[in-house]
Amino acid sequence: IVGGDDAVKQIDKGIETAVFTPDGAKVVQLVSSYDAKKNPSRVVVWDVAAAKKLGEVDLPGLTQVQAALSPDGKTLVTAATRPEEKGETTFVVTGWELATGKKRGEFTEPGGYGAMSVAATADNKTAAVLSPKSGPIVVDFVAGTKVRALDLGGKRPGGQLAVSSDGKLVAVATQAGFGASTGSPVVVFEADTGKVKKTISGGPGNLNALAFSPDGKLLVSGSYDTTALVWDISEK
């Protein structure tokens, strides 16, 4: 996608992650800095077929950036950490108009330690977010508010969250228990209600990958031991 002088610039600044949108038509490129003052983080969105940049957002003062594109392709959603004084942090979820880079809205809460993740849902104004402090929540990135928490039933959230391509289902991995035979249950929620649709065993150990099939009927879980399992979640 990136060529010539642009490729050199991207490498110099340290590309950390590039992920496809659920439809495979776009790539969200994350350049996430651990030194927010020296090297600001940024997010770039590319059209795959045309090899064209669709938008870019600079994120000065933010680190550990995660990002997703709304289903209509008009809004970029970022989740990041903002270092504060005395070693404290703020967790920040922001909606950006992709074409102009204009901020649409922002939700903040005290930060914490742990994995972060973000995926836009079907209504183009909310996102499922894995917050270091609150765990899995649904955030309105236009109004800047928390819509609801996703109740894991006492289980501790793992580091993975995924949303189906139609934006209607949210899968959240939980942490594995102690012992070689224990797995990481995955809880599948209805995005618009927060109701649990299904809980699956997930696979051995902790998970490092979750993905829905394009039709939303299958869920793939990947474990650190390289095990990948495919689950049918279409049945009630």
Side-chain angles (χ1 to χ4, degrees):
I1 293 175
V2 184
D5 292 338
D6 280 343
V8 176
K9 291 177 182 177
Q10 306 302 326
I11 293 170
D12 287 345
K13 293 185 178 180
I15 297 174
E16 290 197 354
T17 311
V19 295
F20 282 96
T21 54
D23 61 7
K26 302 175 183 68
V27 167
V28 180
Q29 175 190 356
L30 309 176
V31 183
S32 183
S33 171
Y34 288 98
D35 188 339
K37 294 182 179 179
K38 182 179 180 181
N39 187 22
S41 300
R42 65 193 181 93
V43 181
V44 187
V45 179
W46 302 87
D47 182 292
V48 175
K52 177 183 178 182
K53 184 189 294 185
L54 300 177
E56 180 175 344
V57 175
D58 290 323
L59 304 170
L62 298 178
T63 65
Q64 298 176 280
V65 178
Q66 300 292 319
L69 198 62
S70 62
D72 63 7
K74 296 180 179 180
T75 305
L76 180 69
V77 190
T78 59
T81 295
R82 183 170 64 218
E84 308 288 359
E85 296 180 358
K86 300 180 180 179
E88 296 179 351
T89 63
T90 298
F91 180 61
V92 184
V93 179
T94 311
W96 308 88
E97 188 177 274
L98 182 62
T100 65
K102 181 181 178 181
K103 185 184 293 186
R104 297 192 64 192
E106 188 167 87
F107 166 79
T108 63
E109 69 176 19
Y113 297 97
M116 300 185 303
S117 187
V118 59
T121 57
D123 60 12
N124 296 302
K125 68 175 184 177
T126 61
V129 178
L130 189 59
S131 162
K133 182 179 186 298
S134 301
I137 57 177
V138 176
V139 169
D140 187 320
F141 52 77
V142 177
T145 58
K146 181 169 73 174
V147 179
R148 68 179 61 87
L150 300 177
D151 186 4
L152 295 175
K155 301 179 180 67
R156 297 181 62 186
Q160 298 297 319
L161 174 151
V163 171
S164 59
S165 59
D166 61 7
K168 295 181 179 180
L169 297 177
V170 181
V172 182
T174 64
Q175 292 187 19
F178 295 101
S181 62
T182 60
S184 302
V186 178
V187 185
V188 181
F189 297 90
E190 295 176 353
D192 60 347
T193 66
K195 180 181 178 181
V196 175
K197 178 181 179 179
K198 184 176 291 254
T199 300
I200 61 176
S201 59
N206 285 305
L207 303 181
N208 63 353
L210 274 181
F212 282 93
S213 61
D215 61 8
K217 295 181 179 180
L218 303 176
L219 182 68
V220 181
S221 64
S223 302
Y224 280 98
D225 70 352
T226 72
T227 299
L229 299 174
V230 182
W231 306 88
D232 185 344
I233 60 170
S234 62
E235 299 179 357
K236 295 184 178 180

